[in-house]
Each structure stands twice: as structure tokens, then as C-alpha cells.
Amino acid sequence: MNCSAVRVRISGQVQGVGFRPFVYNLACRLGLRGEVANSPAGVELVIEGDESGLTRFQQLLWDELPPMALIEQLNSEPVPLSYFDSFKILPSAKGEVSITATPDAAVCPDCLAELFNPSDRRYLYPFINCTNCGPRYSLIKALPYDRTNTTMSAFDLCTACLSEYNDPADRRFHAQPNACPDCGPGLSFTDEKGHFVKTGELHDESLIAAATLIRAGKIVAVKGVGGFHLICDARNADAVVRLRQQKQRPDKPFALLGLNTESLNTVVQLDDNRRQRLQAQDAPVLLCPWQKETSLDTENRDLIASGLNWCGVMLPHSPLHFLLLHQLCGRPEASDWLESEQQPLLVMTSANRSGNPLITDNQQALIELRGIADGFLLHNRDIHIRCDDSVVNGLSDSMPIVRRGRGLAPQVIQLPQSGPSVLATGAFFKNTICVTKGDKAYVSQYIGDLDNPDCCHSLSEMVNHLIQLLDVVPQQVVCDQHPDFFSSLFARQFAERHDLPLQSVQHHHAHIAAVMAEHQLSGAVLGLALDGLGLGDCDQLWGGELLRVDGRGTERTGRLSSLLLPGGDKAAAEPWRVAAGMLYQSGQSDEIDKRFHYAGVATVKQMLNQHINCPQTSSAGRLFDGVAALLGLCSINSYEAQAAMQLESAALSYVEQYGWPECEPLLSAGVATDVAADSSTIDSADMTLTELNLATLLTTLSEIEDPLYGAALFHRQFIDGLGCWVFDTVQASGINRVVLAGGCFLNQLLLRGLTEQLELNGIEVFSAGKIPCNDGGISLGQAQVALQLSLPANRQNSNY
Amino acid sequence: MAHGSGGKAMAQLIDELFLQAFSNPWLDKMNDQACFSLPAGRVVMATDSHVISPLFFPGGDIGSLSVHGTVNDVAMSGAVPKYLSAGFILEEGFALSSLKQLVESMAHAAEAAGVAIVTGDTKVVERGKGDGCFITTTGVGVVPEGLNISGDQVAVGDKILVSGTLGDHGVAIMSLREGLSFETTIESDSQSLQDLVAAMVEVVPDISCMRDPTRGGLAATLNEIAQSAGVGMQIYEAQIPVKPQVSAACEFLGLDPLYVANEGKLIAFCPADQAEQLLAVMREHPKGRDAAIIGDVTEDSLKFVQMETTFGGKRMVDWINGEQLPRIC
Ligand SMILES: [Fe+3]
Ligand SMILES: [Mg+2]
Ligand SMILES: [Zn+2]
Ligand SMILES: [Zn+2]
């Protein structure tokens, strides 16, 4: 037989995901010989055998890849024969492990089958997992990813588990969280006062207790993979009302948990695309349109996502959640029930008091959730790294990520360039941090809003954790331009303490750079940032900007015309104030107190008249808020972006029923008049600052009676107006690549509409996909800008 | 009020005005300095320049304010304020009648605070180079035996107290300046606190630190102390006294009362086991009637000042560089 040998080097997410046993089993199946080992870059293997076997091997390597593995790069080269007599997995030596930490993954089909197989030794065991599934990132204290470096180190493997762990042919070979009822973690249940409920068969009794409470319309705190959830019966209106009251969360939508896509399809519209996304291993919350006729009462529907025509849904992501549903379904036997439609539908919301980080610790849960939860379903596998549920927008085919958390963190982004390690500390809301190593950026999970002290502590811990995990020493620090964010303060202190250079990056520049990083764009682009608020040059409040961005920096070429914010930040919480500013600007001050009957309305009028604490802004986010209030859709935000979401929802409803409203263009772009305060960071600036004038549109909207029509008209006009404006700027600048960035692009009508428009005109359009388009992506953008600016000058022909 | 030639007569007039209003054995000697002896103890000195528009406001004027500000700075060390100096910068054209009113108000304030204005100076600047009237005062006082009150004395476990409602002064000034009308007139809390302090240190000499939360309000003051003492602080929104009308005005205007200036309130830190006693003394005193224990000094590597909101959430009460910039993203 004609034998030959190849060496294959693979990088990517290939450690701790059962990659070596997969290779071992594949080689054995094909009768090939050789060896495989972990390497600093990933995995390296040498394989010998006949030509056809080798070809087949390299084919099946891709086809049968373990579910959690991700190959980024694969190089193979012929090598001389070593005449191996078998195939071996070599143990990994220290220093041979790559830096990749793998995200947590939902339970795999094999484990699920075992979970409900009465003859399996892990029958109904809530902590079943294997190399293809289970917790990862949330357990990791340090790398290399070994059991001793995880919170599983508290449990000694029993003989049976140990032999699985050591057997290369086993699905649990080197599965670090491997466990069974004899040796692994267990469940417990306490009542609302934190008293342990005495139980015989612990797992069963705890689950029964939790299910009993849920059935009775109570609220149960359940410790999941990345933190605690509060769970109640979504079909019980009283229970949902109580949860809202207890959590002091009047309107913010809740996510729903159903056993399978069949069950969820009775409430939201699931096409194949959405089904697949729900069933992926990151098991995110997916935003989907409500069914026209849902199996939920209308009352409950409104309680869950008031004013919105979509809802977040998710499938169980851990064996524990399957077992809870199993109880609620009346403990059906065999496994048919898993495939068929089931009645139980649960509200599943992260367990924390408003604004505080997700709770991960049993003791903390018992204290902080006292008075909210009626019972606690606990376990003793510690959560080291907090991870909220990830959120994905299923309203659009591209399914962009809204929030990166469990299953998606840590995220590795391949950057368009390499450079010295950067630490980027993000913005204020939805904070994430980012650390780069070489040409890769590691973006942390969603940390939270930095008006909360615990989230600030989390940020500080996350920096240490990520640096340690990646084993890097940052060479520079980068933060937002706003001096008062904790992230900026932290960056200043970190840079001082470690004697590192610090730079700040303008908020919207960072938004655009994040998309550029994700798509590996270098060279010049035109960026349209439609966002909430970010501090621009000269302390201006930006948020609707056209920026020219390249490796050397940014130049502002256009902006939305100004809105007024009576009361500053207060206007973000109370969209009626923005609407009052719009009415004032269009000479309709009289209308203000006719439309809005809040206690402060007289003062707000006076503030507008006398320019007291009424900063100007070009923010698109505030535009959406103000229009929603102007149309009477939402005057006060009880959660972030409520008004904007209700405006989008109203437009969707109108368009679905009647199509887009037709009307002559109400927006026009022109040269901005008051440009004195505007500055640029590129000295070759010869473009004029343009402005998209909103006045006519806003006056028209203020006279519209039907809010749904108004919402649709606003969207149509805004999209068309932006389209023309951007097109003109493309023409003038000769830059044909446009990046759409900023939180407003969570609005799928806007994103889709504008993308279509621009593409029709032959413009190349890029938007966020892997990284949220909102402030969750800022840290990546900051890192990207810092890296580019740190490149040697000759590679940029600039004077930086 | 005239400047330059012909101003000489005017200067004399002003001097007489001061002499009359502030009359005391030191000033009456008409030397270029005041010569006095002080009781035993450590001597405390503080100075403050007062610039405020408008000069007259509900609850006070720049005259009384310039006495209260410096008297309070001296008193925050636990000292008994004794003597003041006063320097005036007057703008050409400033009405003599207004000046007379201010000076009389200063004299009253000094008398009430038990201090003598023993030396002073006046300059008149050209029209347009001043805002009517600026007053700089310097105060001297003596700390009684056994007191050691200072920012670095603050320790983990201490309780945090305030002597009364917050934000009155800043909101009163802003309302007047901008011509904002609210249902009830909000008055400045401008007052001297030396008598309240004396009562407090007599009963609880172990007070760690006192401050008057003037510019930047409670938030700035707590952050300053947290930084200098290397501790964290936890305050409770529900415990912080704010007048309903001040709270409503702040709500309308988009201001946070924790960041608004006060001119007649103090913050005190003391060991937890003496906090109730201190609170009782404060509440007995007319200037501390609304006093409250508002929080605790905590251990915190990041030296955060944080607040538990009335909804049970937590919020940073953070440091702000200069003016409050909107930051909602
Ligand atoms: Fe933003
Ligand atoms: Mg002072
Ligand atoms: Zn599995
Ligand atoms: Zn075991």
C-alpha cells in the first residue's frame, strides 16, 4: 500500500471541546495512525496512512466537527513517514495550551438522551455534560482549561467518571465539568426565608418543590449557568403582575422559556431560520414577532411585552431547565415529550434588583431576592464568571446580536491588523471591555450600566480576569471621551498605575470602528452613527453623525439638525421633554401644555424659552424618543429605549397592514450654518459640514392624528432622507463604503430600509453582526482605533 | 460709587460706613492691622472669596453669605470662630444704598456668629470689571482641647450624618437668577453653624470629620473625603432630607439635589456607637432640626460613594469633573 504522512496545524476554538478525542476516533475509524496534541495555537497532529484515507480524514474533519469546535485556520503539509503503530493522544504540557476560553454551551442531544433514559447512570441528573456541551466560561478561574482551574475543582471525580475522563474514545474524555450523581454537584431548595426544605431524594424533591410553587403562581429563583433567573408561569397573569411589582419593572419586556420550538411556535412566529437560531448551542433569547393568534391570553401577552409586536423567547439551556419543564409537564416517560408541543410557558428574567448585576451566588441570592422570590432552586456548582443571557434579534434575517452574554462570551474578533496589546474600557451603558493580543480582540460579556456601583466593580474584576486569562500585559489603554464615565476614570487610573499611554476615542468614532474591526475593513469609510448620546468635540452632544473614518482618525462631515433636551439627562428618561423641545422649535409652544400634563410642564416651557439647562444635541436616539412622544405613543421611558421600540413597533404594525405611506420628501440636507464649534482631527479637511434638516418632518408629524401612520411616515421619511444624504456624501467624498453603527440600528426597519436604499445605489454597506451595534460594541471600536493609531507612521503615511 | 479722581471722598464715606456697622475695639483703633490675643489651643484660619449673582436672594445676601461661608469653614474643624477680616471689591456705579444694606447684613451675621470683623479693605474697580460687589473674608478661630477633627480621621464603620435638608441654596439662587416660579418660594439656607458645632463637639468629641457641602453639594464632599480617607461610602436615598419643593424643582429642572450647593448645612462622621447620641444633640438644636443619619463608611478598594435608592437599587454617586454633562447614551 502507498503510505504517506501529513502534519496538520489547526487554530481556533479547538481546546476543551473534545477535539482531540474526535480526531482520535476519526483516525481509528479510518485505520490511520499518528498522534495529536494541544499546541499554543490550537491543535497539532501528524497522521499516516494511505492517500484515500488521508483525503477522507481531512474531509470528515470539517464535516463531523464537534459542535463546540470552531476552526479558524488549518494548514497541512506533507512530512516524512514516522511509521507509527497506532494513533495516540499526547498529554498537553504546560505552556502548550492556547489562550482560548470557550463559551458555555447548551446541553447536547447525546446528553439529553441520557438525561431521560431511566437506565443511564445520569438519569435525571441536572449536571450532566460532555465535551460537546455544558458550562465552560462561567466556571473558568484561570487557563489552561483544566478541572483544577475551574469551580469544579471542589468535586473529586468518582471511579466511573474518572475512567470516562481518561478514555480518549469516550465522549467525556477531558470533559472538565464531568460529574455524576455520585460525585458531582447537587440541587437544593429553600423556601422564601432561606430555610432548606428537608428532602429525601434531593434532586427530585427540589425540582418538585420548585415546580409546585410555579404551578401555584409563585416566583422561583433558579440558579442557572451564568447566574440566577426569576421564573414564573407566563400563563398566570397574577404571577406575572406580581413579578413586575416585586422587581419594580413596570414595562420592560420579559423573555419566555418553552420546552421546544413547537411549544414556542404557539406564541411567536418561528420560521426555519429562527428555529435553528434558537437551537444553536449558545441558546440565546431570540426576539421574534408574536403569532397573530397566540396560545397566551391577550392580557398576558401585554403583561410580557407591552406595546411591542415582538417578544423574546428561549429554549432550555441547561439540563436543570429541562428537568424543571419535565416536572411541569407531569414527568412524562421516555423521550417523545421532548419533541412535541408542551403547555408550560415560563417567564424567565435575570434575577437582580433593578440595575444591579445578575446574581451568581447562593447567599447573595437569598439576601437580595428576599421579598421577590417565593423559593430558591439552588445548586453548589459555583459560578465564577457572571453571564447574562445573550439576546439576538430574530426580526431580521441577518439576526444581529443585541447583547453578548452566556454562550457568546468571550468573543474573539479577528482584527484587520496586529499590534501591541490594548485594553479598552468601553462606554457607560451596556458596558463591555476589550483586550487585544496580536491581531485578535477579546470582547468581554455584557457587564452592565456603570451608574451601578456593583457593575463598576464587575468592570474592574473583568479587566483583571481577562488580562490574566489571556496572559497579556496591555501596552496602552483607551477609553471614551466623556470624562465622567467610570470606565474613563478606571482607564486613567489603570494607565497611571502601570505607567501606560492613555488615549480617548470619540464615542461614535468607536461605534464605526467596531463595525470596521468586525468586517476587517481598513482604509477609508463613511460612517453613519445613529445613536443615543455621545460626547463629541467641544463638549457637544452627538448622536446622529456622518463621519469619515480611516486609519488616521475621523472627520465629522455631517450631522442631524439639533434637538433640545430640557433637563439634560432627564429628557432621555422623559421623551415628552424632547417632544416639548420639538414643539418649541416649530413655534408651537402653546401645544406643549395642551399635550403633556406633567407637573413640570410649566417649568419645562420656561426652560425652553430662557434656554435653561436645555443642551442641544444631534442625537438620533432622542429623535426617535421625541417622535414617539409627539405621536402620543410613549411619553416616559420606564426602561431604556422603550419609546424608540414602541415607535418601531407602531410603524411595523402600520406597514404590515397598509404598506408604506407615500409622501413627498420632508427632509433635506444642506450645509450646516453654525459650524464654528466643529473641529476635525484630519488636517486635510476640505469637506464642508452638512446637516440633515428635520424641521419640516417634525412639524408635519406634530399635526398627525393616527400614531401608527405617523410612526410609519417617520420611518419612511427618515430612511429616505438619510439615504439621499449619505448618497450625496458618498458622491462628494468618493468613498463608496458606508458603515452603519450605533444603538438606533437595533431598529430593524431602519437598518433594513437604509441598507436596501444604499445598496440599490451601488454603495457597499456594513453593519454590526457579531458585536452589538449599541454601546456593547464600543470597547472593540476603541481598541481598533488605538491599534491603528499605534501602527508605525510609514504604514499609514500620516503624521500621527 | 465713583472710581479714580473724586473717589477719595467716596472711599472715606465707605470707611465710615464700615466703621459704624462693624464697630469693635480692634477696628475702632483704625490701624492697618488688628492686634489680638487668642485663648489657648490650636489656631484655625480659613479664607473664602464670595462671588454670587444675584447679590440679594431669598434667605440672605452676599454680605451675610460672606460671613457664614468663612465662619463655617473655621467651625468645621471644631474650632470656635473669633475674628474675621473683610476685603471688598466694588464696581464703579454700585449703589451706596445697596452697599449699606450688605454691610448691615454682614454686621448682623457676624454678631450672630459671635465673631468680630477686625480689619478690612476696599477697592473700587472700573465699571464692567466687577459684578457689583465681591467680598473676601478670612476667619480665625481656636480649637478646644481634645478635638481632632479632620478628613483623614474618617474610618470604616463610621456613620454619616447631615444637619438638615439639602439643595436649598443652589435651587433658590438658580430660581431667582432664571426667574423661575415655583409654587412656594425656595429660600437659601445660608447660616452660620458655629453654635451647632459647639453643641455637637461638647457631647461627641470623637466626631471624626465635619464638612460644609457647599459647591458640588453632598456628592462632591463625600467623594473628596472618600478619596482622602481611602474608604467607600454607602448612603440611603430614603434617609436623605430634601424639602419637597426643592426635590420637585430639581426634578423639573433635571438637577440632582445631591450635587446642588448648600450654605448652612454640615456633614459629620462619627463612630457608629455614638451616632444616635450625636443625632439627638443635632436635632435639639434649631439649626439641626432636620438632621439625619444618612449612611455608613465602608471598606471599598475603589473608594466608591454609592446610594441605595428608594426602589432598592444601587446607584453611583460619582465624581463629576466640572459641569454636569448629560451622559445617557
Ligand atoms: Fe452609543
Ligand atoms: Mg469654603
Ligand atoms: Zn453533552
Ligand atoms: Zn461520578
Side-chain angles (χ1 to χ4, degrees):
Chain A
M1 200 187 290
N2 203 356
C3 275
S4 57
V6 284
R7 181 195 305 279
V8 185
R9 291 192 175 93
I10 300 169
S11 68
Q13 188 173 293
V14 286
Q15 292 184 9
V17 293
F19 197 80
R20 288 177 302 160
F22 156 68
V23 168
Y24 170 89
N25 286 319
L26 187 58
C28 295
R29 209 168 87 206
L30 298 171
L32 304 170
R33 301 166 305 280
E35 57 189 30
V36 59
N38 282 333
S39 74
V43 162
E44 196 172 314
L45 56 107
V46 176
I47 190 144
E48 289 183 9
D50 61 86
E51 275 308 332
S52 70
L54 289 182
T55 314
R56 188 94 186 103
F57 177 86
Q58 294 195 49
Q59 172 69 44
L60 292 177
L61 200 60
W62 290 99
D63 293 353
E64 295 182 2
L65 198 65
M68 290 179 67
L70 245 167
I71 295 181
E72 271 170 23
Q73 241 172 13
L74 184 149
N75 295 311
S76 58
E77 53 177 5
V79 287
L81 283 168
S82 307
Y83 303 101
F84 293 104
D85 51 14
S86 65
F87 196 90
K88 277 202 188 75
I89 295 179
L90 303 181
S92 44
K94 268 246 165 15
E96 277 189 355
V97 255
S98 81
I99 30 67
T100 327
T102 324
D104 304 306
V107 58
C108 74
D110 290 337
C111 286
L112 194 57
E114 290 173 358
L115 182 62
F116 293 107
N117 175 1
S119 56
D120 193 276
R121 69 187 192 94
R122 293 189 180 85
Y123 177 56
L124 303 185
Y125 180 58
F127 304 94
I128 186 170
N129 67 82
C130 71
T131 46
N132 297 330
C133 74
R136 292 284 188 283
Y137 185 57
S138 57
L139 307 182
I140 299 178
K141 294 180 182 170
L143 286 174
Y145 177 56
D146 273 331
R147 189 162 172 116
T148 47
N149 284 335
T150 71
T151 58
M152 284 301 290
S153 63
F155 304 93
D156 291 330
L157 289 161
C158 68
T159 328
C161 286
L162 189 63
S163 75
E164 292 167 340
Y165 184 87
N166 285 327
D167 176 5
D170 196 280
R171 208 171 85 243
R172 297 194 167 87
F173 176 69
H174 284 196
Q176 306 303 348
N178 190 24
C180 77
D182 292 335
C183 68
L187 288 182
S188 58
F189 185 86
T190 80
D191 64 15
E192 80 274 18
K193 295 198 182 70
H195 299 136
F196 279 93
V197 173
K198 300 280 178 236
T199 53
E201 262 243 70
L202 208 55
H203 296 151
D204 261 19
E205 296 298 321
S206 299
L207 285 162
I208 291 168
T212 310
L213 279 188
I214 291 170
R215 261 199 224 99
K218 304 286 186 190
I219 300 163
V220 179
V222 178
K223 186 177 183 180
V225 172
F228 276 79
H229 287 96
L230 289 168
I231 293 182
C232 75
D233 180 0
R235 299 191 191 277
N236 183 330
D238 293 342
V240 184
V241 167
R242 239 191 90 229
L243 180 57
R244 287 219 174 274
Q245 282 166 352
Q246 304 293 335
K247 248 199 124 184
Q248 277 158 351
R249 179 166 157 157
D251 303 306
K252 192 176 177 185
F254 286 136
L256 295 177
L257 172 75
L259 175 70
N260 48 32
T261 52
E262 287 317 303
S263 314
L264 288 177
N265 196 43
T266 66
V267 281
V268 292
Q269 302 171 30
L270 295 181
D271 53 18
D272 285 350
N273 212 359
R274 293 186 191 122
R275 282 171 201 261
Q276 253 177 31
R277 191 66 194 85
L278 280 167
Q279 288 164 338
Q281 283 218 303
D282 49 15
V285 172
L286 188 70
L287 307 181
C288 300
W290 286 110
Q291 285 286 11
K292 294 273 173 292
E293 298 281 316
T294 73
S295 70
L296 261 180
D297 294 343
T298 321
E299 184 195 356
N300 296 42
R301 199 191 117 147
D302 290 343
L303 279 170
I304 285 155
S306 147
L308 300 178
N309 44 21
W310 61 81
C311 174
V313 295
M314 69 198 299
L315 295 176
H317 63 270
S318 85
L320 176 57
H321 297 99
F322 273 105
L323 290 172
L324 191 57
L325 286 162
H326 183 237
Q327 283 295 341
L328 288 166
C329 290
R331 298 174 65 98
E333 286 183 13
S335 56
D336 296 349
W337 71 285
L338 286 167
E339 305 302 323
S340 54
E341 183 189 320
Q342 301 294 340
Q343 163 84 2
L345 195 62
L346 303 177
V347 165
M348 179 112 159
T349 179
S350 50
N352 51 359
R353 283 199 184 259
S354 54
N356 291 0
L358 182 65
I359 297 169
T360 54
D361 177 77
N362 289 350
Q363 212 45 46
Q364 187 197 1
L366 293 174
I367 296 166
E368 278 198 42
L369 299 176
R370 178 164 295 189
I372 296 182
D374 302 305
F376 295 82
L377 184 55
L378 307 171
H379 62 69
N380 56 349
R381 186 178 70 195
D382 287 346
I383 299 169
H384 187 68
I385 294 296
R386 167 186 302 119
C387 268
D388 286 78
D389 292 322
S390 291
V391 180
V392 172
N393 195 333
L395 302 175
S396 136
D397 290 342
S398 60
M399 304 219 182
I401 287 163
V402 178
R403 180 167 86 184
R404 314 192 58 82
R406 175 186 47 74
L408 287 169
Q411 168 77 5
V412 189
I413 299 281
Q414 177 67 46
L415 297 171
Q417 75 285 307
S418 181
S421 175
V422 178
L423 165 66
T425 57
F428 186 71
F429 278 109
K430 297 174 278 289
N431 183 268
T432 61
I433 59 153
C434 174
V435 176
T436 70
K437 181 173 186 173
D439 60 356
K440 291 192 171 58
Y442 296 81
V443 184
S444 78
Q445 71 274 32
Y446 167 90
I447 292 172
D449 299 341
L450 300 184
D451 55 355
N452 182 289
D454 294 344
C455 293
C456 294
H457 273 282
S458 267
L459 182 154
S460 154
E461 285 157 21
M462 203 55 222
V463 167
N464 290 330
H465 185 72
L466 207 52
I467 287 174
Q468 205 190 342
L469 213 55
L470 299 175
D471 193 25
V472 289
V473 179
Q475 300 299 301
Q476 51 175 325
V477 186
V478 53
C479 66
D480 195 271
Q481 208 161 283
H482 199 303
D484 295 336
F485 292 169
F486 172 71
S487 50
S488 306
L489 178 73
F490 180 90
R492 282 200 293 277
Q493 289 172 348
F494 189 94
E496 226 164 78
R497 205 165 49 236
H498 297 91
D499 199 18
L500 297 173
L502 170 75
Q503 60 175 303
S504 63
V505 172
Q506 200 277 322
H507 189 87
H508 304 105
H509 184 193
H511 267 305
I512 292 157
V515 177
M516 292 175 76
E518 184 186 328
H519 294 280
Q520 300 193 43
L521 300 177
S522 43
V525 303
L526 267 184
L528 175 65
L530 298 180
D531 198 31
L533 274 192
L535 200 58
D537 296 338
C538 309
D539 285 355
Q540 295 177 70
L541 304 174
W542 291 5
E545 319 300 318
L546 258 177
L547 304 176
R548 179 190 189 277
V549 174
D550 65 18
R552 297 177 294 162
T554 180
E555 176 195 11
R556 188 192 198 199
T557 74
R559 61 154 193 235
L560 300 184
S561 65
S562 293
L563 301 173
L564 298 171
L565 302 177
D569 277 345
K570 194 87 193 164
E574 300 185 353
W576 71 269
R577 288 171 180 259
V578 184
M582 291 169 167
L583 290 168
Y584 167 80
Q585 281 177 316
S586 65
Q588 303 181 79
S589 292
D590 302 350
E591 280 290 308
I592 297 175
D593 31 11
K594 281 189 203 143
R595 295 186 186 211
F596 304 111
H597 306 284
Y598 299 102
V601 75
T603 309
V604 164
K605 271 181 85 166
Q606 223 177 337
M607 290 164 74
L608 285 163
N609 279 322
Q610 295 167 233
H611 312 289
I612 305 162
N613 199 18
C614 282
Q616 293 192 359
T617 182
S618 49
S619 161
R622 291 305 91 81
L623 172 65
F624 278 81
D625 284 357
V627 168
L630 204 58
L631 294 171
L633 286 164
C634 177
S635 312
I636 305 246
N637 278 332
S638 84
Y639 61 92
E640 206 226 329
Q642 180 177 5
M645 280 161 67
Q646 292 187 356
L647 184 66
E648 180 189 3
S649 194
L652 260 170
S653 299
Y654 183 90
V655 173
E656 268 174 22
Q657 221 177 333
Y658 308 105
W660 285 107
E662 303 228 355
C663 179
E664 72 211 39
L666 298 172
L667 289 172
S668 58
V671 176
T673 43
D674 53 332
V675 292
D678 290 304
S679 67
S680 70
T681 51
I682 294 182
D683 40 22
S684 67
D686 53 4
M687 270 192 248
T688 43
L689 184 74
T690 61
E691 181 179 274
L692 188 64
N693 192 329
L694 305 165
T696 316
L697 174 61
L698 294 179
T699 308
T700 309
L701 290 174
S702 72
E703 286 154 7
I704 286 174
E705 303 264 312
D706 174 6
L708 300 192
Y709 169 73
L713 181 71
F714 166 72
H715 274 83
R716 184 72 265 155
Q717 289 286 333
F718 192 47
I719 291 165
D720 292 348
L722 288 167
C724 294
W725 184 41
V726 171
F727 180 72
D728 289 347
T729 314
V730 163
Q731 299 285 63
S733 65
I735 302 168
N736 196 44
R737 297 187 302 175
V738 170
V739 165
L740 305 179
C744 294
F745 285 108
L746 286 177
N747 181 322
Q748 294 305 306
L749 270 181
L750 174 68
L751 177 64
R752 275 201 311 254
L754 189 55
T755 305
E756 248 166 55
Q757 278 251 346
L758 297 174
E759 283 177 350
L760 269 177
N761 282 305
I763 297 168
E764 252 191 294
V765 182
F766 301 89
S767 57
K770 295 184 207 161
I771 290 289
C773 66
N774 60 29
D775 286 4
I778 288 285
S779 63
L780 173 66
Q782 291 169 340
Q784 164 71 7
V785 172
L787 264 184
Q788 287 209 316
L789 295 183
S790 71
L791 288 179
N794 60 358
R795 288 189 51 194
Q796 295 189 35
N797 52 49
S798 96
N799 45 10
Y800 265 99
Chain B
M1 191 98 12
H3 167 71
S5 65
K8 215 166 201 165
M10 185 58 69
Q12 215 169 344
L13 200 67
I14 294 169
D15 284 347
E16 275 163 27
L17 184 68
F18 291 159
L19 268 174
Q20 212 170 30
F22 301 154
S23 173
N24 57 56
W26 301 274
L27 193 67
D28 294 350
K29 284 197 176 133
M30 296 183 65
N31 289 328
D32 283 344
Q33 73 288 114
C35 187
F36 48 77
S37 47
L38 287 166
R42 284 172 302 140
V43 175
V44 172
M45 186 167 157
T47 191
D48 217 333
S49 293
H50 297 86
V51 192
I52 190 167
S53 165
L55 298 174
F56 297 89
F57 47 84
D61 54 56
I62 191 171
S64 54
L65 185 70
S66 70
V67 172
H68 297 152
T70 297
V71 162
N72 290 346
D73 281 350
V74 171
M76 290 308 118
S77 64
V80 180
K82 289 284 187 189
Y83 304 104
L84 285 187
S85 76
F88 291 80
I89 294 175
L90 303 173
E91 187 184 5
E92 185 185 347
F94 185 60
L96 196 62
S97 58
S98 297
L99 181 63
K100 195 160 182 246
Q101 215 180 324
L102 289 181
V103 168
E104 270 162 16
S105 160
M106 264 183 100
H108 266 120
E111 197 189 340
V115 293
I117 299 172
V118 294
T119 185
D121 177 56
T122 307
K123 295 282 183 301
V124 179
V125 295
E126 269 173 63
R127 202 184 285 269
K129 297 213 163 154
D131 196 2
C133 171
F134 302 146
I135 307 175
T136 298
T137 50
T138 300
V140 173
V142 177
V143 187
E145 286 297 316
L147 292 186
N148 184 15
I149 294 173
S150 156
D152 51 19
Q153 296 296 306
V154 170
V156 173
D158 277 4
K159 289 281 178 193
I160 310 169
L161 296 89
V162 293
S163 64
T165 56
L166 294 176
D168 302 5
H169 177 75
V171 171
I173 297 301
M174 179 164 184
S175 312
L176 184 64
R177 189 156 56 209
E178 308 291 0
L180 294 169
S181 43
F182 298 110
E183 268 166 32
T184 50
T185 306
I186 296 165
E187 287 197 4
S188 165
D189 58 354
S190 178
Q191 61 181 343
S192 61
L193 297 169
Q194 84 296 331
D195 45 354
L196 175 64
V197 169
M200 288 166 67
V201 297
E202 194 184 334
V203 178
V204 183
D206 287 348
I207 289 174
S208 333
C209 171
M210 284 186 286
R211 283 290 162 85
D212 55 338
T214 50
R215 192 188 295 187
L218 179 74
T221 308
L222 292 185
N223 272 289
E224 263 167 45
I225 298 173
Q227 290 298 322
S228 73
V231 295
M233 292 181 197
Q234 163 89 53
I235 57 176
Y236 301 90
E237 189 175 24
Q239 308 305 320
I240 300 173
V242 180
K243 288 197 178 105
Q245 63 267 39
V246 170
S247 166
C250 283
E251 181 84 19
F252 299 163
L253 291 164
L255 302 176
D256 183 341
L258 302 189
Y259 291 83
V260 175
N262 309 280
E263 287 294 349
K265 298 290 154 48
L266 63 80
I267 308 171
F269 295 79
C270 81
D273 55 359
Q274 298 175 49
E276 286 299 335
Q277 202 183 358
L278 184 59
L279 181 68
V281 178
M282 291 168 81
R283 284 191 170 165
E284 265 167 38
H285 196 280
K287 291 176 181 173
R289 224 180 298 122
D290 300 322
I293 299 175
I294 60 161
D296 307 282
V297 177
T298 58
E299 203 173 324
D300 185 344
S301 57
L302 297 175
K303 297 174 236 171
F304 285 162
V305 177
Q306 48 177 285
M307 180 166 78
E308 190 180 300
T309 65
T310 41
F311 304 112
K314 285 182 196 168
R315 206 193 93 188
M316 291 284 279
V317 181
D318 46 6
W319 196 278
I320 288 192
N321 295 289
E323 220 172 310
Q324 220 177 337
L325 294 164
R327 56 175 150 188
I328 300 292
C329 301

